[in-house]
Amino acid sequence: MFKKILIANRGEIACRVIKTARRMGIATVAVYSDADARAPFVQMADEAVHIGPSPASESYLIADKIIAACKATGAEAVHPGYGFLSERTSFAEALAKENIAFIGPPVNAIAAMGDKIESKKLAKEAGVNVVPGFVGEIRDTEHAVEISNEIGYPVMMKASAGGGGKGMRLAYDEKDVREGFESVKREGLNSFGDDRVFIEKFILNPRHIEIQILGDQHGNILYLNERECSIQRRHQKVVEEAPSPFVTEKMRKAMGEQCVALSKAVGYYSAGTVELIVSGADPTGESFYFLEMNTRLQVEHPVTEAITGIDLVEQMIRVAAGEKLEMTQDDIKIDGWAIENRVYAEDPYRGFLPSTGRLTRYKPPVAGWTDDGEENGRRGVDGVRVDDGVYDGGEVSIFYDPMIAKLITWGETRDEAADLQVAALDRFELEGLGHNIDFVSAIMQHPRFRSGELTTGFIAEEYPEGFHGAPTDEAVTRALAAIAGFMASAEADRARRTDGQLGDRLDPPAKWQVSIDGTSHKVKLGHKHIKVDGDKIDIALEYTPGDRLVVAEIDGSELAVKALKTRTGWRMTTRGAIHNVRVLPWHVAPLASHMIEKIPPDLSKFLICPMPGLLVALHVGEGDKVEAGQPLATVEAMKMENILRAEKSGVVKTVNAAQGDSLAVDAVILEME
């Protein structure tokens, strides 16, 4: 077994690998860029080596710097995590030349599966179902249009070396192909150094199912069941679960055996994932097709660990050291259900725009996951596990992926795991930047999610007008009114004790008008009860002025509410929605109607940059006429290109930015007449 390994990655996956290596008695080396100098994974590792400036292209993506760090520290092996150099053959080959072990699959397997075009040919030869498409070289946009017309719309354009949702565009017609083809090429070149694109038929009502593969260097290959990853946004996974509510035992066996056959065809070993696209319109499950193979550990690997009890990182290390797998296919079981939500730095209330900045408050529902070696330990604390690589006061940088943490829950049933997600998300305190906690909570509560009727179009279909918060039922609204009234009395009590001007004998107000999202409720506090609109509520809670999280027990169930003080009340967040709550004493409330409402200015004539980013293309100039929906500018943020379109017809009056400019959030790009 290795004595020391280097982790050629950052963030939560670096922390994840370090924890398991530590349990195995293996020393660890971290490498870090300028932006990550104070990151938790750097502090956690036994040694740390600085490898360059913040951009990944000048640090984490330079193989020579990783190898130099191995030599300087005596690391015998490298775990690449996911992303960066994890699927780059040249890196694995360079390590081999220096007699440094690569904790991953053989070079030939990475090469064969890393090229989406070649991998489809190999899959077909191995007897795996493949999606109809064009796998040759596409000359230009006109050729792409010609191919798309032959295949039949809708089609998916993908960068051959792409991954993680980057370098992908869905085209429903010729116009979409003409608009998106060059953008896909650019994203492929910028993110992966390869601008080749392939086009394939887009399967309607598709489900994204993936099979976890694990093999050793002695010819043993197993499939560790499936994961359902259908809930995606812009082809980036948001929710993953294991097992899938769609897959039957018969389907699981058929998919698993085909994926094992493909793995054997390329001499695969280590952990890997074969991604399949399955037609949700076919209840037999026989309409499944090979999508791609990821020759690395997946972000969503914890859900597989939770239901199988197998530590995938440990197995990768053991396989790289030449050990045989100790389990057989018959040993692979399914115990319970696990769900993972990715907590991203993006604002769902503003069209999921990327959000960067400092985490002024970061307090997960349970402490970060620790690897105690116990099988059930992979399920976290009471079924709740957080994998993260950030800290309170740390910064989410523009240079890397926007994922902040992964929240994993395990339960005996799917509903139990989803209920745990909702409760844990309510307790997840995160401030300083936009995040998607409310959004994933809303998904967990959504009737369609609970039914298991999922497709990759779930988010687009269920939130066509964007996200504005999860629906709130009357019971939760009344509970919030009671909590707000109780908090207001506690605040008033502290004020009279601190100020001393009201006299000690004057009790704090106990009658409040609580307005929640524009609807008013009368709240009255008694000695042993709270009444809302005249009805008693059975509620128990504690609150000290200044608390950010209030946990109440109502009718035997728990409700956790995050509360941020405002001038006239609180901004309360629970169950996937934000509520602006105004609290006034009964005798003051009638006067509120006399307050003049402030009307926001009209900004519709400005094209405003919605996120910090780089202006990679400006599609219009001064004096140009534009139509509603026409692309005006393209801004790159978090390695993704975002097309900004005209909201209405008009003429461009002035242009305030130039291609190549770095733009701040809310910067004015151009003004319309």
Side-chain angles (χ1 to χ4, degrees):
M1 182 49 64
F2 308 118
K3 293 180 180 176
K4 184 185 288 188
I5 65 172
L6 181 144
I7 297 94
N9 217 295
R10 61 175 300 280
E12 64 88 13
I13 187 56
C15 294
R16 164 75 184 88
V17 176
I18 290 168
K19 288 170 184 175
T20 289
R22 179 182 292 164
R23 175 175 57 78
M24 296 174 69
I26 301 170
T28 55
V29 180
V31 291
Y32 65 94
S33 68
D34 289 346
D36 285 332
R38 294 188 178 91
F41 75 94
V42 176
Q43 309 298 321
M44 193 180 294
D46 296 299
E47 298 175 67
V49 178
H50 178 252
I51 55 169
S54 300
S57 59
E58 299 175 43
S59 50
Y60 296 107
L61 286 171
I62 299 181
D64 288 347
K65 290 187 176 183
I66 306 294
I67 291 170
C70 286
K71 289 180 176 178
T73 58
E76 306 157 83
V78 171
H79 195 301
Y82 36 71
F84 295 144
L85 298 171
S86 62
E87 295 178 283
R88 194 164 292 186
T89 52
S90 58
F91 178 56
E93 288 169 341
L95 288 173
K97 286 179 183 176
E98 301 293 339
N99 290 318
I100 301 168
F102 179 69
I103 302 175
V107 171
N108 63 295
I110 300 173
M113 294 293 104
D115 187 318
K116 287 185 171 66
I117 294 173
E118 291 304 313
S119 67
K120 286 189 180 300
K121 293 178 182 176
L122 282 165
K124 200 169 184 179
E125 290 169 8
V128 181
N129 308 335
V130 296
V131 180
F134 183 85
V135 293
E137 187 173 339
I138 301 172
R139 297 186 300 275
D140 51 29
T141 301
E142 291 304 320
H143 190 202
V145 169
E146 182 184 322
I147 290 165
S148 300
N149 289 336
E150 286 178 9
I151 293 172
Y153 295 98
V155 297
M156 180 67 81
M157 299 178 287
K158 295 184 183 180
S160 180
K166 299 176 182 66
M168 301 173 74
R169 287 288 188 282
L170 181 57
Y172 286 97
D173 52 32
E174 185 176 313
K175 177 174 172 286
D176 288 345
V177 177
R178 292 187 184 280
E179 271 191 17
F181 181 72
E182 289 299 326
S183 184
V184 172
K185 287 188 72 172
R186 276 199 306 272
E187 283 190 6
L189 187 63
N190 292 341
S191 294
F192 309 103
D194 186 342
D195 69 352
R196 290 178 302 152
V197 175
F198 73 95
I199 299 175
E200 66 184 12
K201 179 74 174 175
F202 182 72
I203 305 298
L204 293 172
N205 299 323
R207 296 183 80 115
H208 186 119
I209 309 291
E210 59 187 33
I211 301 291
Q212 176 68 57
I213 293 294
L214 181 63
D216 62 24
Q217 299 185 47
H218 305 277
N220 302 304
I221 299 181
L222 314 174
Y223 64 91
L224 275 57
N225 307 313
E226 80 285 350
R227 293 185 287 259
E228 171 91 51
C229 306
S230 295
I231 297 183
Q232 305 177 3
R233 197 187 69 77
R234 292 184 67 171
H235 317 297
Q236 181 82 36
K237 297 165 191 171
V238 177
V239 181
E240 299 105 346
E241 59 182 304
S244 164
F246 181 71
V247 173
T248 64
E249 187 57 46
K250 181 182 176 183
M251 291 163 60
R252 183 174 296 118
K253 189 171 187 291
M255 291 174 176
E257 288 176 353
Q258 279 201 19
C259 295
V260 167
L262 173 62
S263 303
K264 285 184 175 177
V266 293
Y268 200 89
Y269 56 78
S270 193
T273 295
V274 180
E275 302 199 351
L276 306 170
I277 192 163
V278 184
S279 174
D282 181 3
T284 67
E286 293 176 3
S287 301
F288 65 87
Y289 306 95
F290 171 77
L291 199 58
E292 62 181 327
M293 184 173 189
N294 292 311
T295 55
R296 54 170 169 78
L297 193 66
Q298 291 280 86
V299 174
E300 56 272 22
H301 73 272
V303 293
T304 296
E305 294 184 330
I307 66 164
T308 63
I310 296 169
D311 185 327
L312 287 168
V313 171
E314 178 183 347
Q315 294 303 319
M316 290 181 76
I317 295 171
R318 292 192 182 283
V319 166
E323 294 185 12
K324 282 186 178 181
L325 294 177
E326 293 184 351
M327 73 284 291
T328 66
Q329 191 63 57
D330 291 338
D331 296 323
I332 309 303
K333 308 296 181 187
I334 297 177
D335 181 12
W337 213 287
I339 299 174
E340 174 180 296
N341 275 302
R342 301 188 187 189
V343 178
Y344 280 125
E346 61 184 14
D347 191 344
Y349 293 101
R350 297 185 67 195
F352 297 93
L353 294 174
S355 181
T356 58
R358 191 165 300 285
L359 289 165
T360 56
R361 188 174 184 84
Y362 178 76
K363 192 175 180 183
V366 296
W369 177 74
T370 55
D371 188 354
D372 60 6
E374 295 295 321
E375 182 178 316
N376 289 345
R378 285 179 258 295
R379 297 171 182 167
V381 180
D382 296 326
V384 179
R385 169 177 165 178
V386 175
D387 282 22
D388 59 14
V390 299
Y391 62 98
D392 198 12
E395 192 169 354
V396 175
S397 165
I398 63 170
F399 299 105
Y400 313 116
D401 187 87
M403 190 170 71
I404 297 170
K406 302 185 307 197
L407 178 66
I408 305 101
T409 55
W410 177 91
E412 295 284 355
T413 65
R414 186 170 183 266
D415 278 341
E416 189 180 322
D419 288 343
L420 273 173
Q421 279 283 343
V422 176
L425 288 163
D426 278 347
R427 287 176 170 268
F428 208 130
E429 299 180 63
L430 208 163
E431 296 173 16
L433 41 70
H435 56 77
N436 68 336
I437 286 176
D438 288 353
F439 180 61
V440 291
S441 178
I443 291 174
M444 293 295 99
Q445 300 170 67
H446 200 290
R448 182 174 162 190
F449 174 79
R450 291 300 181 115
S451 74
E453 296 296 321
L454 312 178
T455 69
T456 55
F458 178 93
I459 289 175
E461 291 159 11
E462 298 302 326
Y463 302 96
E465 304 300 322
F467 178 70
H468 306 289
T472 304
D473 64 34
E474 186 181 346
V476 171
T477 301
R478 289 166 58 78
L480 288 175
I483 292 168
F486 184 88
M487 291 164 64
S489 286
E491 294 275 354
D493 189 49
R494 184 185 68 164
R496 80 179 177 93
R497 293 176 187 278
T498 303
D499 192 290
Q501 294 182 24
L502 298 179
D504 292 337
R505 289 175 292 177
L506 188 63
D507 290 331
K511 297 178 180 180
W512 303 93
Q513 178 177 290
V514 179
S515 298
I516 301 178
D517 303 328
T519 303
S520 295
H521 302 272
K522 292 273 190 176
V523 178
K524 184 178 179 181
L525 278 69
H527 290 294
K528 295 183 179 179
H529 66 267
I530 299 178
K531 285 185 178 180
V532 176
D533 298 327
D535 297 326
K536 284 186 181 180
I537 287 188
D538 182 11
I539 185 169
L541 72 154
E542 290 183 7
Y543 173 72
T544 301
D547 286 352
R548 303 287 190 92
L549 182 70
V550 181
V551 181
E553 188 174 308
I554 306 165
D555 297 325
S557 62
E558 189 177 278
L559 182 70
V561 180
K562 284 165 281 195
L564 186 64
K565 193 80 177 73
T566 61
R567 189 172 60 85
T568 58
W570 284 270
R571 194 166 182 256
M572 303 176 80
T573 306
T574 190
R575 294 293 192 267
I578 297 172
H579 304 277
N580 291 308
V581 181
R582 187 178 67 181
V583 186
L584 298 172
W586 277 12
H587 67 282
V588 174
L591 303 175
S593 60
H594 299 290
M595 298 295 290
I596 298 171
E597 185 179 354
K598 188 175 182 180
I599 300 172
D602 179 17
L603 299 176
S604 62
K605 65 178 182 177
F606 298 103
L607 180 66
I608 295 172
C609 188
M611 81 289 279
L614 180 70
L615 184 61
V616 295
L618 193 62
H619 306 297
V620 293
E622 290 183 8
D624 288 356
K625 291 182 179 179
V626 299
E627 299 297 328
Q630 180 179 333
L632 301 180
T634 301
V635 176
E636 182 186 285
M638 295 285 193
K639 303 181 184 176
M640 299 285 280
E641 290 192 357
N642 302 271
I643 298 173
L644 308 183
R645 301 176 184 273
E647 291 185 7
K648 59 184 180 182
S649 301
V651 177
V652 178
K653 181 181 178 182
T654 56
V655 176
N656 302 322
Q659 186 172 319
D661 284 357
S662 290
L663 303 175
V665 64
D666 294 333
V668 175
I669 299 172
L670 56 85
E671 182 181 354
M672 308 281 285
E673 289 183 353

Coordinates of all heavy atoms in Angstrom, one line a residue, residues 73-121:
T73 N 7.8 16.1 -2.6 CA 7.3 15.6 -1.3 C 7.4 14.0 -1.2 O 7.1 13.5 -0.1 CB 5.8 15.9 -1.2 OG1 5.1 15.4 -2.4 CG2 5.6 17.4 -1.2
G74 N 7.8 13.4 -2.3 CA 7.9 11.9 -2.2 C 6.6 11.2 -2.3 O 6.5 10.0 -1.9
A75 N 5.6 11.8 -2.9 CA 4.3 11.2 -3.1 C 4.4 10.1 -4.1 O 5.0 10.2 -5.2 CB 3.3 12.2 -3.6
E76 N 3.9 8.9 -3.8 CA 4.0 7.7 -4.7 C 2.9 7.6 -5.7 O 3.0 6.8 -6.6 CB 4.0 6.4 -3.8 CG 5.1 6.4 -2.7 CD 4.7 5.5 -1.6 OE1 5.0 4.3 -1.8 OE2 4.1 5.9 -0.6
A77 N 1.8 8.3 -5.4 CA 0.6 8.1 -6.3 C -0.2 9.5 -6.3 O 0.0 10.3 -5.4 CB -0.3 7.0 -5.8
V78 N -1.0 9.6 -7.3 CA -1.8 10.8 -7.4 C -3.3 10.4 -7.6 O -3.6 9.6 -8.5 CB -1.4 11.7 -8.7 CG1 -2.4 12.8 -8.9 CG2 0.0 12.2 -8.4
H79 N -4.2 11.0 -6.8 CA -5.6 10.9 -7.0 C -6.1 12.2 -7.7 O -5.9 13.3 -7.1 CB -6.3 10.7 -5.7 CG -7.8 10.2 -5.8 ND1 -8.7 10.9 -6.6 CD2 -8.4 9.1 -5.4 CE1 -9.8 10.2 -6.6 NE2 -9.7 9.1 -5.9
P80 N -6.7 12.1 -8.9 CA -7.0 13.3 -9.6 C -8.4 13.9 -9.3 O -8.7 15.0 -9.8 CB -7.0 12.8 -11.0 CG -7.5 11.4 -10.9 CD -7.0 10.9 -9.6
G81 N -9.2 13.2 -8.4 CA -10.5 13.7 -8.1 C -11.4 13.7 -9.4 O -11.3 12.7 -10.2
Y82 N -12.2 14.7 -9.6 CA -12.9 14.9 -10.9 C -12.7 16.2 -11.5 O -12.3 17.2 -10.8 CB -14.4 14.6 -10.7 CG -15.0 15.1 -9.5 CD1 -15.2 16.4 -9.2 CD2 -15.4 14.2 -8.5 CE1 -15.8 16.9 -8.1 CE2 -16.0 14.7 -7.3 CZ -16.2 16.0 -7.1 OH -16.7 16.5 -5.9
G83 N -12.9 16.4 -12.8 CA -12.5 17.6 -13.5 C -11.0 17.7 -13.6 O -10.3 16.8 -13.4
F84 N -10.5 18.9 -14.0 CA -9.1 19.2 -14.1 C -8.4 18.1 -15.0 O -8.8 17.9 -16.1 CB -8.4 19.4 -12.8 CG -8.9 20.6 -12.0 CD1 -9.0 20.6 -10.7 CD2 -9.3 21.8 -12.7 CE1 -9.5 21.8 -10.0 CE2 -9.7 22.9 -12.0 CZ -9.8 22.9 -10.7
L85 N -7.4 17.4 -14.4 CA -6.6 16.4 -15.1 C -7.1 15.0 -15.0 O -6.4 14.1 -15.5 CB -5.2 16.5 -14.7 CG -4.5 17.9 -14.8 CD1 -3.1 17.9 -14.1 CD2 -4.3 18.2 -16.3
S86 N -8.3 14.8 -14.4 CA -8.7 13.5 -14.1 C -8.9 12.5 -15.3 O -8.8 11.3 -15.2 CB -10.0 13.5 -13.3 OG -11.1 14.1 -14.0
E87 N -9.2 13.1 -16.4 CA -9.5 12.3 -17.6 C -8.5 12.7 -18.8 O -8.9 12.5 -19.9 CB -10.9 12.4 -18.1 CG -11.9 11.8 -17.0 CD -13.4 12.0 -17.4 OE1 -13.9 13.1 -17.3 OE2 -14.0 11.0 -17.8
R88 N -7.4 13.1 -18.4 CA -6.4 13.6 -19.4 C -5.3 12.5 -19.6 O -4.5 12.3 -18.6 CB -5.8 14.9 -19.1 CG -5.1 15.5 -20.2 CD -4.8 17.0 -20.0 NE -6.0 17.8 -20.0 CZ -6.1 19.1 -20.0 NH1 -4.9 19.8 -19.9 NH2 -7.2 19.8 -20.0
T89 N -5.3 11.8 -20.7 CA -4.3 10.7 -20.9 C -2.9 11.2 -20.8 O -2.0 10.5 -20.2 CB -4.5 10.1 -22.3 OG1 -4.5 11.1 -23.3 CG2 -5.8 9.4 -22.4
S90 N -2.6 12.4 -21.3 CA -1.2 12.9 -21.2 C -0.7 13.0 -19.8 O 0.5 12.8 -19.5 CB -1.1 14.3 -21.9 OG -1.9 15.2 -21.3
F91 N -1.6 13.3 -18.9 CA -1.2 13.4 -17.4 C -0.9 12.0 -16.9 O 0.1 11.8 -16.2 CB -2.4 14.0 -16.7 CG -2.1 14.2 -15.2 CD1 -1.0 14.8 -14.7 CD2 -3.0 13.6 -14.3 CE1 -0.7 14.9 -13.3 CE2 -2.7 13.7 -12.9 CZ -1.6 14.4 -12.4
A92 N -1.8 11.0 -17.2 CA -1.5 9.7 -16.7 C -0.2 9.1 -17.3 O 0.5 8.4 -16.6 CB -2.7 8.8 -17.0
E93 N 0.0 9.4 -18.5 CA 1.3 8.9 -19.2 C 2.5 9.6 -18.5 O 3.5 8.9 -18.3 CB 1.2 9.2 -20.7 CG 0.2 8.3 -21.4 CD 0.0 8.8 -22.8 OE1 0.3 10.0 -23.2 OE2 -0.5 8.0 -23.7
A94 N 2.4 10.9 -18.3 CA 3.5 11.6 -17.7 C 3.8 11.0 -16.3 O 5.0 10.9 -15.9 CB 3.2 13.1 -17.6
L95 N 2.8 10.7 -15.5 CA 3.0 10.1 -14.2 C 3.7 8.7 -14.3 O 4.6 8.4 -13.5 CB 1.7 9.9 -13.5 CG 1.0 11.2 -13.0 CD1 -0.4 10.9 -12.4 CD2 1.8 11.9 -11.9
A96 N 3.3 7.9 -15.3 CA 3.8 6.6 -15.5 C 5.3 6.7 -15.8 O 6.1 5.9 -15.3 CB 3.1 5.9 -16.6
K97 N 5.7 7.7 -16.6 CA 7.2 7.9 -16.9 C 8.0 8.2 -15.7 O 9.2 7.9 -15.6 CB 7.3 9.0 -17.9 CG 6.9 8.6 -19.3 CD 7.0 9.8 -20.3 CE 6.5 9.5 -21.7 NZ 6.5 10.6 -22.6
E98 N 7.4 8.8 -14.7 CA 8.1 9.1 -13.4 C 7.9 8.1 -12.4 O 8.3 8.3 -11.2 CB 7.6 10.5 -12.9 CG 7.8 11.6 -13.9 CD 9.3 12.0 -14.2 OE1 10.1 11.6 -13.3 OE2 9.6 12.6 -15.2
N99 N 7.3 6.9 -12.7 CA 7.0 5.8 -11.8 C 6.1 6.3 -10.6 O 6.3 5.9 -9.5 CB 8.3 5.2 -11.2 CG 9.0 4.5 -12.3 OD1 8.4 3.7 -13.1 ND2 10.3 4.6 -12.3
I100 N 5.2 7.2 -10.9 CA 4.2 7.7 -10.0 C 2.8 7.0 -10.4 O 2.4 7.1 -11.5 CB 4.0 9.2 -10.0 CG1 5.4 9.8 -9.6 CG2 3.0 9.6 -9.0 CD1 5.4 11.3 -9.9
A101 N 2.2 6.3 -9.4 CA 1.0 5.6 -9.7 C -0.2 6.6 -9.9 O -0.3 7.6 -9.2 CB 0.6 4.7 -8.6
F102 N -1.1 6.3 -10.9 CA -2.3 7.1 -11.1 C -3.4 6.4 -10.5 O -3.7 5.2 -10.8 CB -2.5 7.3 -12.6 CG -3.7 8.0 -13.0 CD1 -3.7 9.4 -12.8 CD2 -4.8 7.4 -13.6 CE1 -4.9 10.1 -13.1 CE2 -5.9 8.2 -14.0 CZ -5.9 9.5 -13.7
I103 N -4.1 7.0 -9.6 CA -5.3 6.4 -8.9 C -6.5 6.6 -9.8 O -7.3 7.5 -9.6 CB -5.5 6.9 -7.5 CG1 -4.2 6.7 -6.7 CG2 -6.6 6.3 -6.8 CD1 -4.2 7.4 -5.3
G104 N -6.6 5.7 -10.8 CA -7.6 5.8 -11.8 C -7.4 4.7 -12.8 O -6.6 3.8 -12.6
P105 N -8.2 4.7 -13.9 CA -8.1 3.6 -14.9 C -6.8 3.7 -15.7 O -6.1 4.7 -15.7 CB -9.4 3.9 -15.7 CG -9.6 5.4 -15.6 CD -9.1 5.8 -14.2
P106 N -6.6 2.7 -16.6 CA -5.5 2.7 -17.5 C -5.6 3.7 -18.6 O -6.7 4.1 -18.9 CB -5.5 1.3 -18.1 CG -6.9 0.8 -17.9 CD -7.4 1.4 -16.7
V107 N -4.5 4.1 -19.1 CA -4.4 5.2 -20.1 C -5.3 4.9 -21.3 O -6.0 5.7 -21.8 CB -3.0 5.5 -20.5 CG1 -3.0 6.5 -21.7 CG2 -2.2 6.1 -19.4
N108 N -5.2 3.6 -21.8 CA -6.0 3.3 -23.0 C -7.5 3.4 -22.8 O -8.2 3.8 -23.7 CB -5.6 1.9 -23.5 CG -6.0 0.8 -22.4 OD1 -5.5 0.8 -21.3 ND2 -7.0 0.0 -22.8
A109 N -7.9 3.1 -21.6 CA -9.4 3.3 -21.3 C -9.8 4.7 -21.2 O -10.9 5.1 -21.7 CB -9.7 2.6 -19.9
I110 N -8.9 5.6 -20.6 CA -9.2 7.0 -20.6 C -9.3 7.6 -22.0 O -10.2 8.3 -22.3 CB -8.2 7.8 -19.8 CG1 -8.1 7.3 -18.4 CG2 -8.5 9.3 -19.8 CD1 -6.9 7.9 -17.6
A111 N -8.4 7.2 -22.8 CA -8.3 7.6 -24.2 C -9.6 7.2 -25.0 O -10.2 7.9 -25.7 CB -7.1 7.2 -24.9
A112 N -9.9 5.9 -24.8 CA -11.0 5.3 -25.6 C -12.3 6.0 -25.2 O -13.2 6.3 -26.0 CB -11.1 3.8 -25.4
M113 N -12.5 6.2 -23.9 CA -13.8 6.7 -23.4 C -13.9 8.2 -23.3 O -14.9 8.8 -23.3 CB -14.1 6.1 -22.0 CG -14.4 4.6 -22.0 SD -15.9 4.1 -22.9 CE -15.2 3.5 -24.4
G114 N -12.7 8.8 -23.2 CA -12.7 10.3 -23.1 C -13.1 11.0 -24.3 O -13.6 12.2 -24.3
D115 N -12.9 10.4 -25.5 CA -13.4 11.0 -26.7 C -14.8 10.5 -27.0 O -15.0 9.3 -27.3 CB -12.4 10.5 -27.8 CG -12.7 11.2 -29.2 OD1 -13.9 11.3 -29.5 OD2 -11.7 11.6 -29.9
K116 N -15.8 11.4 -26.9 CA -17.2 11.0 -27.1 C -17.4 10.3 -28.4 O -18.3 9.5 -28.5 CB -18.1 12.2 -26.8 CG -18.1 12.6 -25.4 CD -19.2 13.7 -25.2 CE -19.4 14.0 -23.7 NZ -18.3 14.6 -23.0
I117 N -16.7 10.8 -29.4 CA -16.9 10.2 -30.8 C -16.4 8.8 -30.8 O -17.1 7.8 -31.3 CB -16.3 11.1 -31.9 CG1 -17.0 12.5 -31.9 CG2 -16.3 10.4 -33.2 CD1 -16.3 13.5 -32.8
E118 N -15.2 8.6 -30.4 CA -14.6 7.2 -30.5 C -15.3 6.3 -29.5 O -15.5 5.1 -29.8 CB -13.1 7.3 -30.1 CG -12.3 8.0 -31.2 CD -12.4 7.3 -32.6 OE1 -12.4 6.1 -32.6 OE2 -12.6 8.0 -33.5
S119 N -15.7 6.8 -28.3 CA -16.4 5.9 -27.3 C -17.7 5.3 -27.9 O -18.0 4.2 -27.5 CB -16.6 6.7 -26.0 OG -17.6 7.7 -26.2
K120 N -18.4 6.1 -28.7 CA -19.7 5.6 -29.2 C -19.4 4.4 -30.2 O -20.1 3.5 -30.3 CB -20.4 6.7 -29.9 CG -21.0 7.7 -29.0 CD -22.0 8.7 -29.6 CE -22.6 9.6 -28.6 NZ -23.3 8.9 -27.6
K121 N -18.3 4.5 -31.0 CA -18.0 3.5 -31.9 C -17.6 2.2 -31.1 O -18.1 1.1 -31.4 CB -16.8 3.9 -32.7 CG -17.1 5.0 -33.7 CD -15.8 5.4 -34.5 CE -16.1 6.6 -35.4 NZ -14.9 7.1 -36.1

